[in-house]
Amino acid sequence: MEQVTDYFGSLVFDDKTMKSKLSSDVYKSLKKTIQDGKELDISVANSVAQAMKEWAIEKGATHFTHWFQPMTGITAEKHDSFISPESDGRVIMEFKGKELVKGEPDASSFPSGGLRATCEARGYTAWDPTSYAFIKDKCLCIPTAFCSYSGEALDKKTPLLRSMQAINKQALRVLKLFGHTEVTSVKTTVGPEQEYFLIDKEAYLKRPDLIYTGRTLFGAKPPKGQELDDHYFGVIKPRVQEFMNDLNKELWKLGILAKTEHNEVAPAQHELAPIFSTTNIAADNNQLTMEIMQKVAKKHNMVCLLHEKPFKGVNGSGKHNNWSISTNTGLNLLEPGDTPIENAQFLLFLVAVIKAVDEYQDLLRISVASASNDFRLGANEAPPAIISMFVGDDLALVLDSIETGKPLAHKGSNSLKIGVDVLPKLPKDATDRNRTSPFAFTGNKFEFRAVGSSESISCANIMLNTAVAEELKKFADILEKSKDFENDLHDLIKKTIIEHKRIIFNGNGYDESWVKEASKRGLLNLKSTPEALPHYLNQKNIDLFTSHEIYSLSEIKARYEIAQEHYTKVVNIEAETALDMINKYYLPSITKFSNFLIDSYKNKKELGLESAYEYDTLKTISSAEANIYSLKAKLEKALEKASTISKVEDLSIYLKDNVLTVMAEVRDVIDSLELIVSKEYWPFISYGDILYSVK
Ligand code: ADP
Ligand code: MG
């Protein structure tokens, strides 16, 4: 039988393959490029391209592409074949070094937020050699960054790589102070757990809302939802199991470390967790995972829904961004150590994260802001829109002892002295987890749970890396000048705890009282995307990004514009789809059913029979129908008004307050009718039919 170890990574030009296909000189110089982030010499690039091409052709590839992540959030590729004509009419398969390192896609249709006028549409893509090339659908894919000719980032990868450099630089300064001169690079690591829904393709095709918007715009709750919690970690259905097996195999071939899979809380909802890797690789792999999930589902006659909230009243999907910081010597900087000095170092990195999350709450909120995720955050199934941190009771006691100088319970009479004392053992236990916190410490990493299931993880990690880099920089600036390291370190940690402990909340984030408490603490509560996005342009955020060279001012403005525009487009499409469904399906169907009732009522009357069902139902339906008709007109008017608003920030607020609200209102009426109108007359299949479509 075929073993996983036989095909794991078989479609990846990974380190092992490079070693076997490249001369040792070329291999060494490529490795150096990868480690130091230097530019690749063209003669080396030529040899690498040659070897890559031969390897890819052996595996059946005929084309190559620069694979990149434009600001649309999905990945883009333009395939070129390897063939090159010869004078005698034959072709040879060719791939040159310069084609490997640089590409020029005609990129005029990708969003640039005004960075690139359409007349100078061309941007270029540049190989990110730290992420391996791979083969997908007979095409050699080269992971690349995408920039304009003036060097502005047009993608999600470039700023992510820049943010990794920023945190590397500052963390190295801090580590040096702790005597870690052997460490030469620091990288952030991420393990993104991915949630998704799996439904039957036939069911999907019967719902225009799912097809056009990725979510159901209408639909009454089924008699049985997730109340019994019988789906969570339940037995996986054979058809789903086959899908998962196939998916794992495809991911493993691409060297993606898919590790665990299980049923989630909602019916038809599942989760896939990979083993963590370096952040840019994790981001690439997550993009691929989402793409392959959808492809494999299709093969199994199912559809994989990645939308954050496909069904109202049923838990939505997120992506848990497990994040930590590691050295090239294998040290996890967010893991408590065994000695006083290791613990002091851990605490310093910990308070850097605490300070970062507090000072840049707005950026973390923005990084997960989207029209679709707005339905999930704060709906008591996912973290609230208020950004806070969970550190657990044990660590909270430690921080408290440092802050107040009061003794830790188990330690007798002394308070915890940084650099002298060992931390009490902190449990790394999953049972201790607070599932209601957006940002939870889980023993040796943080889990950022607010990220949406369909989003690229790049944005969240750009914000995190950069904010933490900034705090480490401030710490290093202070401590590098210190004459009494141990004392100054203690004071710095203590001061940071005092100033930023408001961000720590270990209680129930779903509780109403937390909203009040958070507001008392002065924490932000940015409930929706239109409310969150303008914070992008706060001076402190512009300073952060420009000083660490993550974004230039024009790049920040471009990202802001794109995010705003995306929001408005999504809401518009949803509203148009809703109107279409109302006009062409719901109203006519309701009228038909009314006619049926009217006929029946008349017939029964003639015969002198009881007709209360017809009469009462007709009354309810006709008043609801009138209501739908007037709400529909209100929605049409709101959309008309929206089309006259030119400032994008005004438009997004308007859509939120005047379009989404009416859509919700009209939906309520239609959903209430779904419960009383005969199934025969109802134009669309029900939630029950969709959620239990995979047998
Ligand atoms: P579980 O939640 O099942 O107990 P873990 O806590 O071990 O499992 O891991 C959850 C996710 O966190 C996995 O994707 C895992 O790879 C990831 N993870 C574990 N350690 C780290 C780390 N140091 N950095 C980033 N992600 C990590
Ligand atoms: Mg988790």
Side-chain angles (χ1 to χ4, degrees), residues 439-454:
F439 202 87
F441 184 65
T442 53
N444 60 359
K445 62 184 184 291
F446 279 96
E447 189 172 15
F448 186 24
R449 299 204 183 96
V451 187
S453 49
S454 69

Side-chain angles (χ1 to χ4, degrees), residues 321-323 334 350 353 389-390 439-441 445-448:
N321 191 83
N322 293 275
W323 175 92
L334 292 177
L350 178 79
V353 180
M389 268 170 108
F390 167 86
F439 202 87
F441 184 65
K445 62 184 184 291
F446 279 96
E447 189 172 15
F448 186 24

Side-chain angles (χ1 to χ4, degrees), residues 463-513:
M463 306 299 195
L464 249 175
N465 291 345
T466 312
V468 175
E470 168 65 15
E471 310 308 353
L472 293 174
K473 172 181 176 292
K474 285 191 189 134
F475 288 176
D477 287 348
I478 294 168
L479 294 173
E480 278 170 359
K481 290 196 203 96
S482 162
K483 305 235 155 44
D484 181 354
F485 184 69
E486 217 161 87
N487 264 318
D488 289 347
L489 178 66
H490 186 96
D491 291 348
L492 179 62
I493 292 176
K494 182 172 167 177
K495 181 168 171 273
T496 311
I497 296 169
I498 293 171
E499 286 173 359
H500 300 284
K501 67 175 178 188
R502 65 169 187 167
I503 197 73
I504 297 172
F505 176 62
N506 291 323
N508 181 0
Y510 293 179
D511 207 282
E512 230 353 86
S513 63

Side-chain angles (χ1 to χ4, degrees), residues 113-385:
L115 282 179
R116 179 171 33 66
T118 346
C119 55
E120 37 173 88
R122 287 155 84 88
Y124 69 89
T125 49
W127 185 30
D128 163 18
T130 61
S131 185
Y132 299 131
F134 56 90
I135 296 171
K136 184 167 65 78
D137 300 329
K138 299 192 176 203
C139 187
L140 171 66
C141 298
I142 300 146
T144 56
F146 178 37
C147 293
S148 77
Y149 265 101
S150 40
E152 280 128 340
L154 296 174
D155 68 349
K156 303 204 173 206
K157 181 187 271 256
T158 309
L160 181 65
L161 292 172
R162 290 176 186 162
S163 75
M164 290 169 68
Q165 274 167 11
I167 198 168
N168 172 55
K169 184 169 156 195
Q170 304 305 334
L172 284 176
R173 284 177 68 195
V174 170
L175 286 174
K176 219 165 163 192
L177 295 166
F178 285 90
H180 283 299
T181 45
E182 79 290 359
V183 176
T184 55
S185 94
V186 171
K187 283 185 173 143
T188 52
T189 50
V190 170
E193 298 164 71
Q194 175 77 48
E195 291 177 338
Y196 60 96
F197 280 85
L198 212 49
I199 63 171
D200 189 81
K201 195 169 153 201
E202 294 292 314
Y204 173 83
L205 290 174
K206 289 181 181 149
R207 293 292 307 220
D209 43 2
L210 280 178
I211 294 173
Y212 295 131
T213 74
R215 74 176 177 109
T216 52
L217 301 173
F218 303 94
K221 213 175 132 338
K224 176 180 183 295
Q226 62 197 50
E227 302 79 1
L228 299 178
D229 276 337
D230 52 353
H231 191 254
Y232 193 47
F233 280 59
V235 178
I236 298 173
K237 290 175 183 151
R239 197 167 155 204
V240 174
Q241 189 61 62
E242 274 169 37
F243 158 84
M244 285 176 172
N245 294 346
D246 220 9
L247 173 64
N248 282 338
K249 188 165 178 186
E250 292 307 312
L251 295 176
W252 288 337
K253 280 194 228 162
L254 289 167
I256 296 173
L257 297 153
K259 174 85 174 160
T260 39
E261 53 196 23
H262 61 79
N263 286 353
E264 261 298 332
V265 177
Q269 193 186 28
H270 312 280
E271 183 191 287
L272 182 137
I275 295 174
F276 68 94
S277 48
T278 307
T279 306
N280 61 321
I281 294 167
D284 283 356
N285 285 351
N286 183 251
Q287 291 298 123
L288 270 175
T289 301
M290 290 194 284
E291 183 185 327
I292 290 167
M293 271 178 169
Q294 286 169 312
K295 210 181 272 170
V296 173
K298 242 178 227 153
K299 240 175 68 190
H300 289 254
N301 238 348
M302 296 190 281
V303 174
C304 167
L305 304 176
L306 291 170
H307 193 285
E308 281 75 7
K309 190 73 179 175
F311 307 100
K312 189 184 165 196
V314 176
N315 271 11
S317 302
K319 191 134 52 187
H320 293 170
N321 191 83
N322 293 275
W323 175 92
S324 193
I325 323 171
S326 282
T327 67
N328 63 320
T329 53
L331 195 63
N332 180 347
L333 298 173
L334 292 177
E335 175 139 4
D338 296 323
T339 64
I341 186 76
E342 282 171 4
N343 282 330
Q345 182 185 299
F346 159 72
L347 285 169
L348 187 67
F349 278 95
L350 178 79
V351 297
V353 180
I354 292 173
K355 187 164 187 267
V357 175
D358 187 25
E359 288 182 342
Y360 299 101
Q361 294 162 48
D362 48 358
L363 287 182
L364 289 179
R365 175 64 185 90
I366 286 167
S367 78
V368 300
S370 68
S372 45
N373 211 18
D374 279 359
F375 291 104
R376 176 180 160 261
L377 297 179
N380 281 7
E381 53 172 274

